[in-house]
Amino acid sequence: MAGMDALRATGSHLAEMYARAAELYGGLPAFATRRARGQWTPVGFRELFENGRALATALIELGVGAREHVGLLGDNRLEWILADYGVQLCGAADVPRGRDVTDAEIEYILRHAGVRVTFVETACLAQRVSKLRGKLPDLDEIILLEAEGSAPDGTRRLGDLVARGHELRAAGDRRVEERMAGIRPDDLFTLIYTSGTTGEPKGVMLTHANIMSQMENIGMEIRCTDRVLSILPVWHVFERVFEMIAVSRGCCTYYTSPRHLADDLTDVEPTFMGSAPRLWENLHQRILKRVRETHPVRQVLFHTAYFLAHYYKESVFFLTHRQLSLRRRGALWRAGAVAFHVLRWFLLLPWYGFFNAAVLEKLRLVVGGAFKGSVSGGGALPREVDQFFNYLGIPVLEGYGLTETSPVVAVRTPAKLVIGTVGPLIPRTEVRIADPETGEVLCPDPACPHGGRGRRGEVEVRGPQVMKGYYRNPEATKAALRDGWFRTGDLGMMTFNDCLRIVGRLKDTIVLSSGENLEPVPIEARLNQSPLIEHAMVVGQDRKFPAVLIVPAAEAAESADGELPERIGAEIRARVSVAGGFKAHELVRDFRIVVEPFRVGAELTNLQKLRRHVVTEKYSDLIESMYAQDTQRKERKP
Amino acid sequence: MMEIDRELLNAGEQALLAVMILIIMFGMGASLTPRDFREALHRPKGMAIGFLSQFGLMPVIALGLALLLRLPPPQAIALVLVGCLPGGTTSNMFAYFARGSVALSISMTAASTLLALVFVPALLNLYASGFAARIDAEMLAEGAEGFVIPHVNIIVSLLLVLVPVAAGMVLRRFSPDWAKTAEDTAAFMGIVVILFLIASVTIRHGGLFLQTPGSVYIAALGVSLAGFLFGYGFAALWRVEPRQQRAISLETGIQNTPIAFAVILLSFEEPLRSQMLWLPILYATSVVITSSVVTLYFRRTGRIDDEIYRNSRVHRRLFGADYRTPYPEAVVPANLKRHLPRIHAEVVERSR
């Protein structure tokens, strides 16, 4: 058994890791592709590596140089990972982006990254890139990933290149081995463009050392008998790290899609999965709906079971130091709490034991019944959803990170599964909490009684996972990196049991619960132009849709009397529209009027800029009311 | 000898116990299909070892404990009776959580329930006649009528117990959904009734816990533990697959106690009835605890082989029945190596 835990393919760069994995795991399935319900095709580690090496040989023949940037436009599929193998094995770096990329983004990214050769997933995407050739003088080669579909002229096919590579290898071509020997840990393995705050995407430079450190330090117990289900886009570094960890441990990754997720969860019985809050919200809804549809006796059994699980697990969490600890408590308080929880634990144990076995296990089967953990990232998990799954016995390990930190900074572990936090820092990672305005370090602060725990400020990260910088953007790099410390733009604090808690965002970008980003500033600027509106602030972080708080202009408030809300509503619809240049997910769906004007020094900085966290805190009830329907649906709970 | 001055259970409680037996056996039937009986034939080795362990080892363990602890004859007969019982649905649930072979557990439960018709009276005759003779002598000495083990009554009560099982199977045939509900409700009812009976006995016969000699507690607790231990060792000796070892171990130690209640209530007269009932009640309570502990232990030790088994099963289901997962040498634990080809070949196990 020690033998199994020790099995791990490592190396100083991804190409080396890929080669070791092929040696160690040989014919074990590395990736599996769904053909139809219950019918999947596996590909083994050795086969994948050999094809990847052939592809790399063909790429070298196409003239792809070491450290060159190769485009990779597409979503999760076997050919994506094969293309990645090819790129890594020839010592280049890929520039990934999903199928939903816009023409403007393709143009900007491929030009900025200096891409000569790009992979595209579909024939349709090949057409689009082809049409942009006029604006992309550097672009020479387009390689189509999918085997079907008619490719436009001048497009190569992945399969042909792999076949060509095998011929070359058979004839004794060993240039791949030379390339691999030349890869340094400091070389980029990928260049990921994120939609930045200023509108222009920024290219995040991540090195082999970055990703290898992640694979080393993320303490996930994944082995070759595990199964990882892949649902998040692989061009996000979060999902990618997960798949790399799976490769290094000999574990098979199964590609699913939102449409088939429900079936595939029960078919694949995954043991791990990278996930986003939205997924758990959906599953939560589905489980509750299923319960409502069952026989009344079973409903009663479920509610009893959840009730018991809730209080039982709450006590277990408390007794194992996994409760949210935001304050330092006195000894007396702690002794009392321990006594209470021990008693409650003991009284609930037999009942929980029975209901856990008879009722909750069947609910766990909805997600395959084999989960050891699922890491949720890319946004905050709503508290009741978080509790629901963890109390049910489906461990949801919320993590925290950004593309710039490749991505994991902190993640809950089963031993430190503290609901309400993103867990402890991963090894060799430092976090400090700094005052967003003065830059003064609030935590760790030896002068402070508890080392500065419990104080809020901007989260700054230093560690082997922090990016090299933004590609060809020294100003942005300088603003983000200070003496190796990366400024995340997130507000957070360290709890008293040394977990990181994220409380909000300093940076303006709003991430909806769907994972879509939107910039509030352009929307607010448009609204502020209205004669009726003094100030507008867009909210919607981790929500399903954006909404806005409006401070009406003083004159308008006096003249408009009773009709003000209607007129402002019409104004918002007219100004923030698709016709007006906004995207569908940016359309504001609700608003509330704030009577008290924003004041400099409180809600506004000296430069009249919004202090978003102040407004969010002050008007949290008002904001909540806009999403009340949303949460009500969620809260019709056990 | 422990004396119970009044009846251990009054008429109401006895009726409650009877209803509980009815419900539990009905729930057991609701969890079974004719396929489970047929499938027993697909695992001849596991079934044979399990059968020997259940009807060969366990009654001897019970007899040995009764002699070793010098139990009074009525309790000794009760203990031997507990040892001769077939398995119940509880063992299937524990097998599931202990990473044991649920299919084997279900098949063993199904087969042993049927075989009990023959084996319970035969084994009782073999192992309990000595104790019965002592009771007989005592009663004759007191001038009462003599005592013999009521074999016919026992067979009749066993047959009666099978009626709700059959009814449950009929329900399962026509409405699997209702059957599921019946199964869960039955298990819950079982726990509630047992706890209620203990509480009510405590109130009415407060001193009973103190009067009960320590040997009876040891017997009630020890019989399941010894069953788990010897069952596991026996299965390991015959080198059956680790998952089957765990299932056989649990199946050996966990007995279908409601059948004991039925047999005692329907076949034995007072005061013997009250003297005999207490031990199975204690056993039914303690077995939940001992099997939980053993299950937790098995969950831990069986993790690796179960993960390999489960992974191979998913692979065969998704990649085709011919797929063989080529695990690296270092990964497969020694006790699993010789079973891998058969694990690969085994029919896809039905999920719980």
Side-chain angles (χ1 to χ4, degrees), chain B residues 278-302:
Chain B
W278 188 224
L279 194 129
I281 291 182
L282 287 179
Y283 167 82
T285 322
S286 67
V287 76
V288 177
I289 299 162
T290 54
S291 39
S292 299
V293 172
V294 169
T295 295
L296 286 178
Y297 172 76
F298 281 158
R299 261 188 96 71
R300 233 162 233 227
T301 54

Side-chain angles (χ1 to χ4, degrees), chain A residues 4 7 27-29 38 40 42 223-225 227 254 267-269 295 298 351 354 357 361-362 368 372, chain B residues 96-97 178 181 184 188 191 195 303-304 307-308 310-311 313-315 317-319 323 325-326 328 331 352:
Chain A
M4 171 128 84
L7 269 196
L28 271 183
W40 297 62
R223 286 183 296 268
C224 69
T225 49
R227 293 170 299 282
Y254 298 76
D267 287 354
V268 174
E269 303 176 18
H295 191 267
R298 297 194 68 80
W351 307 102
F354 171 76
E361 178 66 13
K362 284 183 191 100
K372 294 178 188 169
Chain B
Y96 174 84
F97 286 99
W178 270 95
T181 309
D184 289 349
F188 183 58
I191 294 191
L195 286 175
R303 206 190 69 199
I304 306 271
E307 279 181 6
I308 291 178
R310 196 164 180 180
N311 196 43
R313 194 181 63 181
V314 171
H315 283 175
R317 193 173 60 211
L318 301 181
F319 305 156
Y323 188 84
T325 314
V331 166
R352 201 174 83 103

